[in-house]
Amino acid sequence: MKEWWVQVGLLSVPLLAVYLHIPPPRLSPALLSWKASGAFFTYKHQSIFYRDSTGAVGSSDIVVLLHGFPTSSYDWSKIWEGLTQRFHRVIALDFVGFGFSDKPRPHHYSIFEQASIVERLVRHLGLHHQRINLLSHDYGDTVAQELLHRYEHNKTGSILINSLCLSNGGIFPETYYPRFIQKVLKDGGLLSPIITRLMNFFFFSRGILQYINQRKKHRDRWVGALMSTSVPLHLIYGPLDPVNPHPEFLQLYKKMLPMSTVSVLDDHISHYPQLEDPTGFLNAYLNFINSF
């Protein structure tokens, strides 16, 4: 587990360090290559990083990937090539405040803004009239729920969602246990000393707790979007997740969303299934996509 923390943490450090005026560490060649293969667009004077790969010949399908907290689009690096073999376009972005995107301060970060940024990216790429498959994780699950609500209630100007696959996110506030920081501190790694200094700093409350509070405040809106949709839904779940623990989370998911299909990965897979088990994750997703 430490290896992927080193990889992902390198993109997380600038997000945290900007609040402490700490120079970020030198990026690895893999991350530099990731950035070099991407581009930027502007949303309300903010520079937003994204990657857009053209893949499978003969396919018109598009997938947009929504990453989690506190990481970036690099979360999808281990399944990127596999997705390009199935989809015509594979697209991911760094949400504002994350990865290579701008990190304005002071700033009120919200799920609503992140959803609007995704919509703007789709329009920027000229894909707003095409149906989009959404694949999300963690924080990105909540952004996807907001996009789904907009699609179901106001199709004009919103993303035309063809399918939605969620993974290990705080979909239900009542089964969400934000132990993430404790786990990082316990496991050590690059983020540990910085997060320790942030524990009493405003970023902790205004960064992490604000989106958790938004999930609670808008639960009916975001859970309701999943319950009422006719869009094909799927969940890929790492059952060792301490944030959305098994079996409590999975039991509630199946009860609330009986129309959704579910893939449960091996018992040792935790909160980042696309990094811990990229082959299993990719196979589960492609089986879902090929089922309709």
Side-chain angles (χ1 to χ4, degrees):
M1 295 295 292
K2 188 174 181 180
E3 179 183 359
W4 67 257
W5 261 114
V6 171
Q7 294 173 337
V8 177
L10 285 171
L11 281 186
S12 306
V13 167
L15 168 65
L16 301 174
V18 70
Y19 292 93
L20 299 174
H21 306 289
I22 299 172
R26 182 176 297 178
L27 297 179
S28 70
L31 289 168
L32 290 172
S33 175
W34 186 263
K35 182 179 181 181
S37 62
F40 292 84
F41 75 101
T42 301
Y43 175 84
K44 293 186 177 179
H45 307 294
Q46 298 160 4
S47 184
I48 306 297
F49 174 81
Y50 71 94
R51 288 192 87 210
D52 177 14
S53 293
T54 301
V57 176
S59 172
S60 60
D61 293 340
I62 302 163
V63 62
V64 173
L65 314 174
L66 308 176
H67 70 81
F69 184 98
T71 50
S72 73
S73 58
Y74 193 69
D75 285 359
W76 306 108
S77 60
K78 291 188 176 183
I79 65 170
W80 193 269
E81 183 177 353
L83 291 173
T84 63
Q85 295 174 12
R86 169 60 178 81
F87 290 91
H88 174 59
R89 298 278 288 275
V90 181
I91 300 161
L93 78 160
D94 291 350
F95 293 126
V96 64
F98 297 78
F100 294 117
S101 293
D102 281 352
K103 302 161 187 69
R105 58 171 296 197
H107 188 78
H108 177 69
Y109 292 93
S110 76
I111 295 298
F112 297 100
E113 179 185 42
Q114 306 289 19
S116 295
I117 290 172
V118 178
E119 290 179 333
R120 181 69 60 84
L121 173 60
V122 169
R123 183 169 291 275
H124 171 76
L125 296 175
L127 300 175
H128 50 290
H129 296 307
Q130 299 191 43
R131 302 193 69 80
I132 303 293
N133 299 286
L134 294 178
L135 173 56
S136 60
H137 171 249
D138 184 67
Y139 182 91
D141 285 356
T142 312
V143 178
Q145 288 172 262
E146 171 58 21
L147 290 168
L148 185 64
H149 175 87
R150 296 181 188 188
Y151 170 68
E152 295 291 354
H153 291 83
N154 179 20
K155 290 183 169 58
T156 302
S158 58
I159 292 177
L160 302 177
I161 300 176
N162 189 57
S163 71
L164 171 56
C165 180
L166 308 158
S167 61
N168 287 81
I171 299 166
F172 308 109
E174 56 268 43
T175 59
Y176 178 75
Y177 300 92
R179 300 169 182 168
F180 187 54
I181 296 301
Q182 293 94 316
K183 180 169 177 58
V184 175
L185 293 172
K186 176 177 176 291
D187 291 349
L190 292 177
L191 293 181
S192 180
I194 294 178
I195 292 178
T196 300
R197 293 176 62 184
L198 282 169
M199 293 300 284
N200 294 316
F201 198 65
F202 78 94
F203 176 77
F204 183 78
S205 62
R206 297 187 182 181
I208 296 177
L209 295 183
Q210 282 307 305
Y211 86 82
I212 294 174
N213 290 339
Q214 289 170 30
R215 282 173 171 166
K216 294 177 181 178
K217 180 178 180 180
H218 302 290
R219 182 196 183 281
D220 291 347
R221 176 186 180 97
W222 291 336
V223 175
L226 295 173
M227 294 177 65
S228 63
T229 188
S230 59
V231 167
L233 289 178
H234 190 67
L235 171 72
I236 302 176
Y237 179 58
L240 196 60
D241 188 357
V243 181
N244 304 283
H246 184 273
E248 183 182 359
F249 168 79
L250 193 58
Q251 289 173 348
L252 182 60
Y253 185 92
K254 290 180 175 180
K255 177 182 178 181
M256 300 292 290
L257 305 171
M259 71 292 192
S260 173
T261 52
V262 176
S263 296
V264 180
L265 302 180
D266 291 344
D267 290 347
H268 66 282
I269 304 303
S270 184
H271 186 66
Y272 277 81
Q274 74 275 42
L275 290 169
E276 299 170 57
D277 183 12
T279 299
F281 187 97
L282 180 63
N283 288 339
Y285 182 60
L286 295 182
N287 286 338
F288 164 59
I289 285 295
N290 293 332
S291 68
F292 60 90

